Amino acid sequence: MTYRIPGRRAAAPAALALAVCTAWTGTVVPTARAEERTAAVAAADAGPLTPATRFYVDPDSGAARQAAVDAAAGDTDDAANMTRLAGLPQAAWFTGGTPAEVRADAAALVARAGAAGQVPVLVAYNVPGRDCGLYSGGGATSSAAYREWITALAEGVGDAPAVVVLEPDGLAALPKDCAGSVDPTGELTAARLADLGFAVTTLKQRPGTAVYLDAGNSQWRAVGDMARRLIDAGVARADGFSLNVSNFQPTDHQTRYGTWVSQCVWFATEGPEWGRGHTDWCASQYYSAAAPNDGRPGNAVSADDPTTWHWTDAWYAQSAGQPSTTELAHFVVDTSRNGRGPWQPAAGTYADPETWCNPPGRGMGPRPTADTGLPLVDAYLYVKTIGDSDGSCTRGTPGPVDPVYGVVDPPAGAWWPDFAHALARNAEPALLP
């Protein structure tokens, strides 16, 4: 199994203000749910996640090995932190290999987890053209190869309980979003959506597998844009979507954003008749038609100011009503590195600060659990491997040295002891014995 783990870029939205001219009137009357969604909810209810779920802890993790190295060097503080980190569950990334290899690796993982009475979290990260060919570029060579690979992954998981986070960045960075004329006809984007839909269907054929399509984070795609992409990729057949993978956005920002995305999916597919098909009408972290939008402070929605997000809440209350949590897509949040939120260097310090890439001073976030206390949030997970580099960041300089650290950062997915130590040392809440 190859471990190459990406950083999540938060791309600037193409349009921060969505003009919605329709006047929202009338009372929302929920309609009958589609047969597909009914089946998906039933499948989700039979999935492996309950508040008592214990996620798999790998006894041979990078943190466990680092603890031994630190102890041998007499570094007792870092050794203690690495030991504590080694006792926490993290996801296993499946990023390549032949179908036979991925089948065997997945089967071995679920067997180890089963023997421990735990549920493994797998990340499928092998879609063609992944990461727009950047730091974590690669993936299967064709749709046919990818489908053979994903089928083998599902076969390896078998009937055992498992959680699969499906293709980080796969929807937030479609081929049409990549720099240059990568997909002038839209053919590659259509293929990506079809491949993800195939993956959802194939993985959900396994009775114990919960599947979450990746949906970026709250500083990336607008709510309606992401809802549209999720619908097109088959979220109705999945258990929901994942947020903040390998990123640093605060947990409460993600739960708010995820709730809106879920409500928007419902609004445009099963909500009021006048809203069917119109994810583009959904309020977002960038704009709400419920706000005065008169230019006065606080009277418009800002993605960087959660005190303005009540305007987005107001739009959903007015326009989407109150669908039950069984009617809405659920989601999981990667809290592996968001304990201190995102890095914000002083303006003008770097030509391109690459805030998503090995930012300094960050810390681990809330511990993995399926007992979140939030009805739409199925789990907080450590999806990103804590201590793995996001890539060789240059911050807009010629490189290859990262000006923040004064060294060349390890390649994406490579273990970086100093980064692991810092994330553990800065954990919020703090790591305890």
Side-chain angles (χ1 to χ4, degrees), residues 42-118:
D45 290 344
L49 291 184
T50 72
T53 295
R54 295 170 58 233
F55 295 111
Y56 177 63
V57 177
D58 180 4
D60 189 33
S61 65
R65 294 191 295 272
Q66 188 64 46
V69 171
D70 293 338
D75 184 354
T76 56
D77 288 343
D78 283 334
N81 273 337
M82 289 298 97
T83 298
R84 293 162 190 156
L85 172 55
L88 298 172
Q90 299 189 61
W93 287 66
F94 289 75
T95 65
T98 68
E101 289 169 340
V102 74
R103 184 184 297 109
D105 287 342
L109 174 61
V110 298
R112 293 194 300 271
Q118 298 171 339

Side-chain angles (χ1 to χ4, degrees), residues 358-409:
N358 299 330
R362 302 308 91 199
M364 295 164 52
R367 308 296 174 257
T369 180
D371 187 10
T372 67
L374 299 174
L376 291 182
V377 185
D378 287 350
Y380 300 139
L381 302 172
Y382 283 177
V383 180
K384 169 73 175 183
T385 303
I386 298 169
D388 278 8
S389 174
D390 294 316
S392 299
C393 324
T394 57
R395 322 284 175 191
T397 68
V401 169
D402 183 339
V404 167
Y405 298 100
V407 299
V408 178
D409 299 350

Side-chain angles (χ1 to χ4, degrees), residues 151-189:
T151 298
L153 178 67
E155 291 170 349
V157 171
D159 296 343
V163 174
V164 177
V165 174
L166 186 57
E167 298 299 341
D169 280 3
L171 282 176
L174 291 169
K176 69 177 183 179
D177 304 315
C178 299
S181 57
V182 173
D183 188 24
T185 66
E187 181 179 358
L188 295 178
T189 294

Side-chain angles (χ1 to χ4, degrees), residues 78 81 340 362-364 418 420-427 430-431:
D78 283 334
N81 273 337
R340 295 194 173 188
R362 302 308 91 199
M364 295 164 52
D418 289 346
H421 290 150
L423 289 166
R425 191 180 306 121
N426 296 329
L431 288 175

